[in-house]
Amino acid sequence: MDINKILTADILDLIFEGRNKEYGAYDLRKTYKKRLIISVTSMLAICLLVFLGSVLAKYVVPEKQTQILVEDVSLADVKQDEKKPEPPPPPPPPKVEPPKVEITKFTPPKIVKDEEVKPDEKPPEQDKLDDTKIGTINQEGEKSDVIAPPVEQSTGQVEAPKAQVEDYDKEFKTVQIEAKFPGGSGAWTKYLERNLNSNVPVDNGAPPANYTVIVSFLVDKNGNISEVQALNDPGYGTKEEAVRVIKKGPAWTPAVQNGRNVIYRQKQSITFQVSEG
């Protein structure tokens, strides 16, 4: 290279002086800045397009908003399968009273003086005994050869009904004092709202609507929760989410019947509200 051109020559020309510039290394280094500018500009343009697209999508396609409603459910609110009433039993046949038979009271014979015999203790006449039956009382009726049944005389005493023994190990649906969550219903509602994932239906593609799950569970004598099961399934993962949160719930205050802790069936309604943003 001419000595006068060294001061104005590019450093690449000095490095590749006398070498094969057609090999490719020279061209790569020569166009490096141009390629760097193009790549950086392209990357910034793509990032800008993605950002603008996400901003516009919020205005064109609004996001779905979800909300959870927790409501108490009484046993009467849940419709069970209605049982057809059984037909009434047939009326009992009319009671037929047996015909009364004439009875003459038999008086055991005693040897006493005539003046000491009382009128009701006089023995019946022999001819009357031929036409009537002998018994323990005097009774008017038909003369018959059928032996009259003995007449029972009531003592006037009525036996009191036997007291039923309450089974306190069974499952109670109605009690004197219902099971309660520590802190009351307000604390139970806060527990559910804090632990339930309200985005479950949206994440599973649920359209805007209300999805209500009714969950049934037992509170035992110690207040522990068991047998958690959903009575319905609106879909989109709402049933599984409601059962999951109630299963891991803390212990309750048990229900009381006649002063004893009993097993109580509790029901809870949880509504997932999905609406357009």
Side-chain angles (χ1 to χ4, degrees):
M1 180 179 290
D2 190 352
I3 192 171
N4 295 326
K5 297 180 179 180
I6 293 177
L7 297 177
T8 58
D10 188 85
I11 189 171
L12 289 176
D13 293 331
L14 297 176
I15 295 175
F16 284 90
E17 177 65 24
R19 299 183 181 183
N20 184 10
K21 294 183 179 181
E22 302 297 331
Y23 181 70
Y26 175 79
D27 185 63
L28 289 174
R29 287 171 172 79
K30 190 72 174 177
T31 60
Y32 174 74
K33 292 182 179 180
K34 181 180 179 181
R35 289 184 288 107
L36 180 62
I37 293 172
I38 293 173
S39 61
V40 171
T41 304
S42 300
M43 182 184 67
L44 292 176
I46 292 173
C47 292
L48 182 62
L49 289 175
V50 172
F51 175 75
L52 292 176
S54 62
V55 172
L56 292 176
K58 292 183 178 180
Y59 295 97
V60 177
V61 182
E63 293 183 354
K64 296 178 181 178
Q65 296 180 354
T66 58
Q67 186 179 1
I68 295 177
L69 297 179
V70 179
E71 300 175 354
D72 292 332
V73 176
S74 62
L75 296 180
D77 295 336
V78 182
K79 295 183 179 180
Q80 303 291 346
D81 295 336
E82 296 183 357
K83 295 183 179 179
K84 295 183 179 180
E86 297 181 358
K95 186 176 181 181
V96 179
E97 294 286 343
K100 289 187 177 181
V101 180
E102 185 175 349
I103 301 174
T104 302
K105 181 180 179 181
F106 173 75
T107 304
K110 294 181 181 180
I111 300 175
V112 295
K113 295 179 180 181
D114 292 342
E115 58 271 12
E116 296 179 0
V117 179
K118 297 179 181 179
D120 58 345
E121 292 181 354
K122 289 183 179 182
E125 298 178 0
Q126 184 63 35
D127 57 351
K128 189 175 181 180
L129 294 176
D130 295 338
D131 298 332
T132 62
K133 303 300 177 184
I134 299 175
T136 58
I137 62 172
N138 289 321
Q139 176 177 287
E140 295 182 357
E142 298 179 358
K143 293 181 172 64
S144 174
D145 295 334
V146 180
I147 299 175
V151 178
E152 295 181 0
Q153 297 183 357
S154 174
T155 60
Q157 297 180 355
V158 180
E159 293 184 1
K162 296 181 179 179
Q164 296 181 353
V165 179
E166 187 75 51
D167 181 12
Y168 293 99
D169 292 327
K170 69 178 182 180
E171 174 187 319
F172 283 78
K173 293 183 175 62
T174 57
V175 290
Q176 295 170 341
I177 302 177
E178 296 184 354
K180 293 183 180 180
F181 185 78
S185 58
W188 174 242
T189 301
K190 289 182 180 179
Y191 165 78
L192 294 177
E193 291 176 347
R194 290 174 181 173
N195 291 274
L196 286 167
N197 184 3
S198 61
N199 293 324
V200 165
V202 175
D203 295 341
N204 289 279
N210 290 343
Y211 303 91
T212 301
V213 185
I214 299 177
V215 182
S216 171
F217 58 95
L218 286 182
V219 179
D220 64 16
K221 296 180 181 180
N222 297 320
N224 299 318
I225 294 176
S226 63
E227 295 188 21
V228 182
Q229 55 186 352
L231 302 182
N232 65 321
D233 185 8
Y236 304 102
T238 54
K239 179 190 78 170
E240 291 77 8
E241 178 63 12
V243 170
R244 178 190 68 84
V245 173
I246 292 181
K247 270 186 177 180
K248 71 174 187 178
W252 286 45
T253 301
V256 177
Q257 179 73 9
N258 296 331
R260 299 186 182 184
N261 293 351
V262 294
I263 303 171
Y264 181 65
R265 172 69 63 176
Q266 182 79 16
K267 293 190 178 182
Q268 182 66 56
S269 172
I270 299 174
T271 300
F272 295 81
Q273 289 185 335
V274 180
S275 59
E276 296 287 355

